[in-house]
Amino acid sequence: MTQLAYTLAELAEKLKLTYQGEPDTLIKGVCALNPGKKEAISFLENPRYHKFLSTTQATAIILPPNLATETTLPALLSPNPYYTYAEVAKLFDQRWLPERGIHPTAVIGHHCQIDPSARIA
């Protein structure tokens, strides 16, 4: 499995967000804010965790715009950091998924309506 990586600017573009900091900052995964992890992005939404912003080892952070001046870390600015973190995590998810459609060996009822985007293995 190949290692996925995105720059801060690429993540901002994919998620239609603004960012601050070096656009070429390389992100290879997600992490918790405390302790954080190099080449990974974390998020801050809950004020209880604000104390970890200055000590995190995360390479970048997802923040609400009103906290943008609270860090020198490269950041994605999001009105909903928790949701954005989940969307970023999905980008790094490399689990195998079956092809879209219905596998020939699947047993489906006669009058079922199956969405074309379904994956039935």
Side-chain angles (χ1 to χ4, degrees), residues 30 42 49 57 70 75 87 107 114-115:
V30 296
S42 188
Y49 299 102
Q57 294 300 302
E70 305 264 335
E87 290 297 306
V107 177
I114 309 293
D115 188 281

Side-chain angles (χ1 to χ4, degrees), residues 4 10 25 41 43 49 53-54 76 80 88 91 98 108-109 115:
L4 289 178
E10 287 172 333
T25 300
I41 191 167
F43 76 102
Y49 299 102
L53 186 58
S54 63
L76 289 177
N80 188 339
V88 170
L91 293 172
I108 307 293
D115 188 281

Side-chain angles (χ1 to χ4, degrees), residues 96 98 101-109 119-121:
W96 175 82
I102 302 169
H103 190 274
T105 62
V107 177
I108 307 293
R119 301 169 195 266
I120 302 175

Side-chain angles (χ1 to χ4, degrees), residues 8-67:
L8 186 67
E10 287 172 333
L11 289 175
E13 183 179 335
K14 284 182 177 297
L15 300 170
K16 298 181 180 12
L17 297 171
T18 59
Y19 66 90
Q20 68 181 23
E22 180 58 45
D24 293 330
T25 300
L26 196 60
I27 308 296
K28 293 184 177 179
V30 296
C31 66
L33 186 60
N34 183 36
K37 189 168 112 179
K38 293 291 181 197
E39 295 186 322
I41 191 167
S42 188
F43 76 102
L44 175 63
E45 185 163 36
N46 187 326
R48 276 192 322 197
Y49 299 102
H50 190 274
K51 62 186 174 193
F52 299 120
L53 186 58
S54 63
T55 60
T56 187
Q57 294 300 302
T59 294
I61 188 90
I62 303 164
L63 295 169
N66 66 311
L67 295 181

Side-chain angles (χ1 to χ4, degrees), residues 62 81-91:
I62 303 164
Y82 186 78
Y83 175 80
T84 298
Y85 180 80
E87 290 297 306
V88 170
K90 281 187 349 188
L91 293 172

Side-chain angles (χ1 to χ4, degrees), residues 1-4 92-96:
M1 201 174 290
T2 59
Q3 171 77 32
L4 289 178
F92 289 104
D93 185 358
Q94 295 185 38
R95 288 179 287 171
W96 175 82

